[in-house]
Amino acid sequence: MDRSNKEIKPGCCFPVRLDRSMRRSFKFSRSSSSDKLIKGSPKTGDTPKSCSGAPVKSPGLVACFGELLIDFVPTVSGVSLAEAPGFKKAPGGAPANVAVGIARLGGSSAFIGKVGQDEFGYMLSNILKENNVDNSGMRFDSHARTALAFVTLRADGEREFMFFRNPSADMLLTEAELDKDLIRKSCIFHYGSISLIEEPCRSTHLAALKVAKEAGCILSYDPNLRLPLWPSAEAARQGIMSIWDQADVIKISEEEITFLTGGDDAYDDNVVFKKLYHPNLKLLLVTEGPEGCRYYTKEFHGRVHGVKVQAVDTTGAGDAFVGGLLNSLATDPDLYKDEKKLQEALLFANGCGAITVTEKGAIPALPTKEAVFKILDAATA
C-alpha cells in the first residue's frame, strides 16, 4: 500500500491494538539525579570515582547532548506564525526534551549543553533541576544569548519554524567545557544533528561521541532534521550522515527517510535496510505520527500501532517517544534482542508521544509513567 501521499490533519487519531497484559511487564528504574544548580560561572558537579580514578557508571543514567532553548508557541492553534495573535513561551530543544521525558517517567537523566548567561538560560537550568535532570553538564555563555524558536502547527497539519540563533549559546560549547566524566558514567549517550551544524559545537559533539564510545555507552541518535538551520539541504544530508554509522540506536521519521535517501519510498522495508541500516546498528526506529512506529533489528522487523488521542500540538512528540524508549532501554539494554519486550517498550513510547500532542509545548506536555499507563488502560477498555 502506497501511503507516501497520505494526508495528515490536525486533531488526528492514534489507532492502537493493545494487550492488557503488556502493562504489567514494564520495568522502570527510579534512580535519583543530581540536584545541583549551576548559577553564574559553569562548574562541573562532583562525579564518583573508582579506586583507579575512572568515573563509576551510574546505573540507568542517560546523558543527553545538544540544544536547550525557548519555544514560543502561538496562543491560537491552526494559524501561521505571522497570523498568531500572541505566543506562550515553553522550554524546548530536542535533547533537553528527551532528558526531561526520561526523568518525568522516573528514570535517571543528565543534560549536557550551553545556554546564555541570561534570564532565559537561568530559567532553563532551573526547569531541568525542577524536573530532576542532572544539570551539572550545563554551561553558560556571557557573550551569546539563549536560543529562541517560534513554532506553530498550521491548519494543514504542518509545523512551521523560525529560529533566532546568530549565534546562540548552544552553538558555542567547546570541548574544554565538556563534562566528559558525566558522559563516562552514563549507560546511554543521546544526541541529535543540530549540534553538528556550526563550530565549535560540531567538534565538541564529535569529541563527546568518542568519549561515549570508549566508555561503552549505547549511542542513541535522533537526527531531528531542521532544514532552516542548515546552509543547504545537501549540507544537512551530509552532516546527518557523517556520524550515522556510529550509532547503536537511531530514530527517524518518514519525512527524514525520504530526505536522506533522496526521495525513496519511506514505507519500503528494502529501502530502510539497504540505505539506512548499517552493520553495527542494533535498532532502527521509524516514527509514523498517528500510525505509531516501525522497528528494524538484524533479526526481525515489524510495526507497533499508536494510541488514540485528539492532537493539539505535535511539538515534542518524537522526543517524548525517544524518552519513553530510552527509559526502558536504560533498565534493560538488551531488550532489542527480544521482539515481545521491544514491542511492549515501543507501545509505551507511543503512549508517551500521544500524551504529549494533547498539550501545547514540549517539556510542559511530557507525561509521567502513571499517565502513560492510564492512557494505555483506557485504550484497552
Side-chain angles (χ1 to χ4, degrees), residues 157-223:
E158 293 298 319
R159 283 189 296 172
E160 182 180 0
F161 293 90
M162 183 182 295
F163 297 93
F164 289 81
R165 51 198 306 268
N166 249 342
S168 54
D170 62 288
M171 302 161 65
L172 302 177
L173 182 69
T174 65
E175 184 177 350
E177 296 172 307
L178 189 62
D179 191 337
K180 296 181 179 180
D181 280 353
L182 184 57
I183 297 173
R184 292 187 183 107
K185 73 173 185 175
S186 304
C187 69
I188 299 175
F189 182 66
H190 176 73
Y191 50 91
S193 69
I194 291 175
S195 46
L196 296 170
I197 298 174
E198 298 280 355
E199 293 289 359
C201 192
R202 183 178 189 278
S203 293
T204 306
H205 186 150
L206 297 179
L209 271 179
K210 185 174 185 293
V211 171
K213 195 168 188 67
E214 290 175 349
C217 300
I218 295 172
L219 302 184
S220 167
Y221 186 22
D222 177 4

Side-chain angles (χ1 to χ4, degrees), residues 33-45 115 121-130 133-140:
S33 299
S34 168
D35 61 358
K36 295 183 179 180
L37 172 64
I38 288 65
K39 190 86 170 176
S41 300
K43 180 181 178 182
T44 303
V115 293
Y122 293 132
M123 182 191 84
L124 292 170
S125 178
N126 273 309
I127 286 171
L128 292 185
K129 180 189 177 186
E130 290 164 1
V133 175
D134 183 338
N135 63 4
S136 63
M138 281 188 70
R139 301 293 178 259
F140 295 80

Side-chain angles (χ1 to χ4, degrees), residues 76-136:
V76 175
S77 300
V79 298
S80 69
L81 291 176
E83 295 168 333
F87 295 88
K88 175 186 177 182
K89 70 177 186 293
N97 293 343
V98 172
V100 174
I102 291 167
R104 200 164 287 174
L105 291 170
S108 178
S109 65
F111 175 76
I112 298 172
K114 200 173 192 182
V115 293
Q117 193 170 312
D118 52 39
E119 289 303 310
F120 281 149
Y122 293 132
M123 182 191 84
L124 292 170
S125 178
N126 273 309
I127 286 171
L128 292 185
K129 180 189 177 186
E130 290 164 1
N131 282 279
N132 296 317
V133 175
D134 183 338
N135 63 4
S136 63

Side-chain angles (χ1 to χ4, degrees), residues 88 310-315 354-362 364-366:
K88 175 186 177 182
Q310 188 70 24
V312 174
D313 178 10
T314 59
T315 304
I355 290 176
T356 302
V357 306
T358 62
E359 295 182 33
K360 291 183 179 179
L366 294 169

Side-chain angles (χ1 to χ4, degrees), residues 9 27 49 51 66 90 102 131 164 197 218 269 274-275 277 294 314 323 326 371 378:
K9 295 183 174 62
K27 296 180 181 179
K49 300 287 177 62
C51 295
I102 291 167
N131 282 279
F164 289 81
I197 298 174
I218 295 172
D269 291 338
K274 290 180 180 179
K275 293 196 172 183
Y277 200 98
R294 282 177 280 157
T314 59
L326 294 185

